[in-house]
Amino acid sequence: AQSVTQLDSQVPVFEEAPVELRCNYSSSVSVYLFWYVQYPNQGLQLLLKYLSGSTLVKGINGFEAEFNKSQTSFHLRKPSVHISDTAEYFCAVSDPRTGNQFYFGTGTSLTVIP
Amino acid sequence: KAGVTQTPRYLIKTRGQQVTLSCSPISGHRSVSWYQQTPGQGLQFLFEYFSETQRNKGNFPGRFSGRQFSNSRSEMNVSTLELGDSALYLCASSSGAGGQETQYFGPGTRLLVL
């Protein structure tokens, strides 16, 4: 089975500052990697995903993530955050062998301070 | 296209009762997955259905069951409810079952067991 570790449960950051949310995964096979965002009282929305190819992936709302195979990491970054980025962020992996069975990290609560 | 819809949005039940939750996927999507979200355990995969067949199952007791209909709508049933079943239940739909497709999540059904 796969496992996903999000190293920071809460990240406060000032508006317009950069942010990095960390994600490490454990797998002996190649996996697909995802970042989702959840706003209060809503479901999850895809920010970006890595399937193959270029290790730098760009997503919606100015977010990007870099896949590092040697460190089994998939950290999410944004150069300048806005108040509206305040939300819960989840890193997830799926194994091509088991299809849509996703394994999620425990989430990182990002709070943007005005 | 309309998004993923889940009904009801909120439910209150007592221990020992059973409950049925419903999920209508995005039109054309044949895969529906269910997740349980709790503050302590995070997002945990329950099961996935594709074209009316259960393809994957998470590590949950047999009290949790599901099914999918020919129109891809899915239902999840929990029998003999326990206090620990209180959670947000999310369903997600996707066009394929290979694990690389974007999962589109509904807003969830919040279940409270008293």
Side-chain angles (χ1 to χ4, degrees), chain B residues 45-66:
Chain B
F45 174 81
L46 280 156
F47 30 67
E48 180 212 1
Y49 287 87
F50 185 84
S51 295
E52 301 179 66
T53 300
Q54 187 180 86
R55 295 190 71 249
N56 292 296
K57 189 177 191 307
N59 189 27
F60 278 82
R63 300 185 297 107
F64 292 81
S65 63

Side-chain angles (χ1 to χ4, degrees), chain B residues 1 10 13 20 29 34-35 42 56 59-60 66 70 84 88 91:
Chain B
K1 281 186 180 178
Y10 302 93
K13 293 285 187 179
T20 299
H29 284 188
W34 289 89
Y35 291 85
N56 292 296
N59 189 27
F60 278 82
S70 58
L88 180 66
C91 93

Side-chain angles (χ1 to χ4, degrees), chain A residues 15-107:
Chain A
E15 192 175 13
E16 297 184 7
V19 70
E20 178 179 80
L21 306 184
R22 297 180 293 169
C23 172
N24 286 87
Y25 67 95
S26 170
S27 176
S28 59
V29 299
S30 294
V31 295
Y32 301 129
L33 296 154
F34 304 78
W35 275 99
Y36 282 87
V37 61
Q38 186 178 32
Y39 298 103
N41 299 315
Q42 294 186 27
L44 279 69
Q45 178 185 2
L46 180 71
L47 280 175
L48 47 81
K49 60 182 175 182
Y50 173 79
L51 305 180
S52 65
S54 173
T55 58
L56 183 63
V57 180
K58 293 190 184 298
I60 63 170
N61 300 341
F63 284 95
E64 64 180 33
E66 185 147 23
F67 169 60
N68 188 318
K69 187 174 182 179
S70 62
Q71 297 187 4
T72 59
S73 68
F74 191 54
H75 301 334
L76 181 71
R77 294 191 289 261
K78 186 170 183 177
S80 175
V81 296
H82 304 291
I83 297 291
S84 59
D85 293 324
T86 294
E88 191 85 15
Y89 291 80
F90 293 93
C91 181
V93 303
S94 68
D95 182 336
R97 299 171 301 176
T98 54
N100 288 343
Q101 183 167 356
F102 280 66
Y103 299 87
F104 283 85
T106 51

Side-chain angles (χ1 to χ4, degrees), chain B residues 38-111:
Chain B
T38 59
Q41 299 295 320
L43 278 150
Q44 293 187 288
F45 174 81
L46 280 156
F47 30 67
E48 180 212 1
Y49 287 87
F50 185 84
S51 295
E52 301 179 66
T53 300
Q54 187 180 86
R55 295 190 71 249
N56 292 296
K57 189 177 191 307
N59 189 27
F60 278 82
R63 300 185 297 107
F64 292 81
S65 63
R67 58 178 176 169
Q68 186 179 33
F69 302 95
S70 58
N71 62 357
S72 292
R73 188 177 71 85
S74 177
E75 287 182 347
M76 190 191 95
N77 184 273
V78 188
S79 62
T80 320
L81 284 166
E82 300 177 359
L83 295 179
D85 297 333
S86 294
L88 180 66
Y89 290 89
L90 294 165
C91 93
S93 76
S94 67
S95 56
Q100 72 267 42
E101 295 87 1
T102 297
Q103 299 287 304
Y104 293 86
F105 284 81
T109 294
R110 190 166 295 281
L111 172 64

